[in-house]
């Protein structure tokens, strides 16, 4: 489950010239190279599991072609994600290829359970950054969320190997009912290991995440972070392309049949980005019926569905009637 905020902080700086580039171009590309994962997290947006397809429809040359097309569009930032991308047999081929094509920001979003010392040493050769999700300093809670006994210890080992190798590590804490009470202890635990880049996000009701809390959603933008209009796109293991990893409602095309350049020009993407940009600049107001000190429920969609404690860029974290509730970007 990726942490959506702060993937590329430099892309989020307000600038009118950047805005035009974001609306028309490609700044950041998610590559979902596999649907398979060795874990089966209860909230996984991609429905990944050990039973899912390892390769999907995209072969090695297909992924190379997409990376080359992205580079031709001026994209210099990619994230390999899944599923668990380190399970894919071509990852060690695709990373050097992306590096050779001029990608100067290469990140692997992994559950960290497979990050052996040899693997992180290889990733260090190409300046790869690591991102991972962590759920609790309580081993039983962490393993309960991943639904795999021992995942806590393997994740910690992978984190330790990453830190030892000197790779940049970004850790995301996805807050749910069962791990929110331990939030402060978990943050302190991560900081005690020397991890400075730690963020938080709420659970996104996409994929299995939609079953954690049964809700009726009529707004396809309600589970999005609001940043995905900024020159971003996602290619899945089937070749299907979306504006971001969570926006499965907005199919843009398939790179097996259509070039990435053509997909970036499609009306669906332009309409999506226009709507997202407009929504991200709106100010959500706290409902006047809310109780001071309660979680804030904005009356517009800019900060959907709630401002959970620690969620950024929502502000304030608790509701005061008539007080602004972000977003502060």
């Amino acid at each position: 489950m990726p942490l959506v905020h702060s993937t590329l902080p430099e892309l989020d700086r307000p600038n009118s010239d950047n805005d035009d580039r974001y609306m028309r171009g490609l700044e950041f590309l998610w590559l979902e190279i596999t649907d398979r994962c060795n874990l089966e997290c209860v909230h996984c947006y991609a429905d990944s599991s050990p039973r899912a397809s390892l390769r999907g429809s995209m072969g090695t040359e297909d992924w190379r072609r997409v990376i080359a097309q992205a580079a031709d569009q001026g994209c210099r930032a990619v994230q390999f994600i899944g599923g668990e991308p380190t399970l894919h047999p071509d990852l060690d081929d695709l990373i050097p290829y992306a590096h050779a094509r001029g990608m100067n920001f290469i990140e692997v979003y992994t559950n960290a359970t497979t990050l052996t010392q040899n693997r992180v040493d290889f990733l260090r050769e190409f300046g790869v950054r690591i991102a991972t999700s962590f759920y609790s300093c309580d081993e039983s809670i962490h393993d309960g969320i991943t639904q795999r006994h021992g995942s806590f210890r393997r994740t910690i080992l992978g984190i330790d190997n990453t830190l030892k190798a000197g790779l940049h590590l970004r850790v995301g804490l996805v807050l749910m009912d069962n791990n929110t009470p331990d939030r402060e202890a978990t943050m302190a635990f991560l900081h005690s290991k020397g991890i400075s880049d730690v963020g938080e996000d709420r659970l996104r009701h996409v994929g299995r995440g939609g079953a954690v809390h049964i809700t009726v959603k009529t707004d396809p933008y309600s589970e999005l972070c609001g940043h995905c209009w900024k020159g971003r796109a996602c290619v899945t293991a089937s070749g299907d392309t979306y504006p971001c990893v969570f926006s499965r409602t907005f199919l843009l095309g398939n790179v097996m049949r259509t070039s990435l350049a053509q997909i970036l020009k499609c009306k669906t993407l332009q309409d999506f980005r226009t709507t997202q940009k407009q929504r991200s600049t709106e100010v959500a107001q706290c409902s006047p019926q809310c109780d001071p000190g309660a979680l804030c429920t904005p009356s517009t969609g800019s900060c959907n569905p709630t401002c959970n404690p620690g969620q950024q860029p929502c502000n304030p974290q608790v509701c005061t009637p008539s007080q602004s509730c972000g977003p502060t970007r």
Side-chain angles (χ1 to χ4, degrees):
M1 173 88 177
L3 183 75
V4 292
H5 300 307
S6 301
T7 302
L8 284 175
E10 64 272 20
L11 298 186
D12 298 332
R13 297 172 183 164
N15 182 300
S16 58
D17 292 335
N18 283 349
D19 284 3
D20 183 66
R21 191 175 78 246
Y22 294 156
M23 289 294 293
R24 300 178 184 277
L26 182 64
E27 300 290 316
F28 178 78
L29 183 63
W30 285 279
L31 300 174
E32 286 188 9
I33 59 175
T34 181
D35 295 322
R36 184 174 296 182
C37 186
N38 55 331
L39 307 181
E40 199 165 4
C41 297
V42 296
H43 62 294
C44 180
Y45 80 94
D47 283 321
S48 299
S49 77
R51 299 173 298 280
S53 172
L54 178 61
R55 286 185 175 271
S57 305
M58 297 278 287
T60 307
E61 292 307 314
D62 296 314
W63 286 117
R64 281 173 164 253
R65 184 179 68 254
V66 168
I67 292 170
Q69 291 178 357
D72 290 344
Q73 293 299 306
C75 181
R76 295 295 179 264
V78 294
Q79 182 190 89
F80 292 94
I81 190 172
E84 173 48 48
T86 62
L87 298 181
H88 197 287
D90 292 337
L91 180 64
D92 289 354
D93 171 83
L94 297 176
I95 285 175
Y97 184 77
H99 185 269
R101 290 306 307 248
M103 298 296 172
N104 53 33
F105 181 104
I106 302 174
E107 186 174 69
V108 174
Y109 205 109
T110 169
N111 58 41
T113 62
T114 65
L115 295 181
T116 63
Q117 195 63 57
N118 286 340
R119 178 171 287 278
V120 295
D121 287 344
F122 168 79
L123 297 176
R124 183 176 54 189
E125 291 182 36
F126 300 96
V128 174
R129 301 160 67 103
I130 297 296
T132 191
S133 295
F134 192 79
Y135 301 112
S136 177
C137 59
D138 184 314
E139 182 173 351
S140 63
I141 293 176
H142 183 96
D143 287 1
I145 290 173
T146 66
Q147 300 192 91
R148 288 297 181 275
H149 178 71
S151 64
F152 174 87
R153 296 185 183 184
R154 294 196 302 274
T155 296
I156 292 298
L157 179 59
I159 286 175
D160 288 343
N161 287 337
T162 299
L163 293 172
K164 188 185 302 183
L167 275 67
H168 184 279
L169 175 64
R170 181 169 66 92
V171 178
L173 175 60
V174 180
L175 293 173
M176 293 167 274
D177 290 344
N178 51 348
N179 67 346
T180 296
D182 294 327
R183 169 186 169 270
E184 291 187 10
T186 300
M187 293 293 286
F189 173 78
L190 292 170
H191 288 308
S192 73
K193 296 189 75 63
I195 306 170
S196 58
D197 193 350
V198 181
E200 297 174 330
D201 194 21
R202 66 172 176 84
L203 181 146
R204 304 280 161 175
H205 296 99
V206 180
R208 282 199 299 274
V212 175
H213 293 291
I214 299 175
T215 55
V216 177
K217 297 291 182 182
T218 57
D219 180 3
Y221 293 89
S222 64
E223 297 307 310
L224 308 181
C225 73
H227 290 274
C228 32
W229 65 272
K230 297 177 180 179
R232 305 182 184 188
C234 167
V235 177
T236 69
S238 68
D240 286 343
T241 304
Y242 301 94
C244 80
V245 292
F246 295 132
S247 57
R248 291 323 210 235
T249 306
F250 302 91
L251 178 62
L252 307 177
N254 188 293
V255 293
M256 303 282 284
R257 299 184 292 272
T258 308
S259 72
L260 193 57
Q262 290 176 291
I263 289 174
L264 292 173
K265 294 177 182 178
C266 75
K267 186 176 185 300
T268 301
L269 179 58
Q270 296 307 308
D271 289 347
F272 173 89
R273 287 179 173 178
T274 298
T275 300
Q276 271 290 71
K277 180 183 179 183
Q278 179 180 359
R279 291 170 67 107
S280 71
T281 57
E282 294 173 351
V283 175
Q285 297 296 323
C286 289
S287 167
Q289 287 77 36
C290 71
D291 296 323
L295 293 182
C296 177
T297 302
S299 58
T300 73
S302 300
C303 225
N304 267 320
T306 57
C307 287
N308 294 322
Q311 180 182 353
Q312 296 295 329
C314 296
N315 185 37
Q317 295 176 0
V318 294
C319 184
T320 302
S322 77
Q323 186 174 357
S324 173
C325 182
T328 58
R329 54 185 181 273

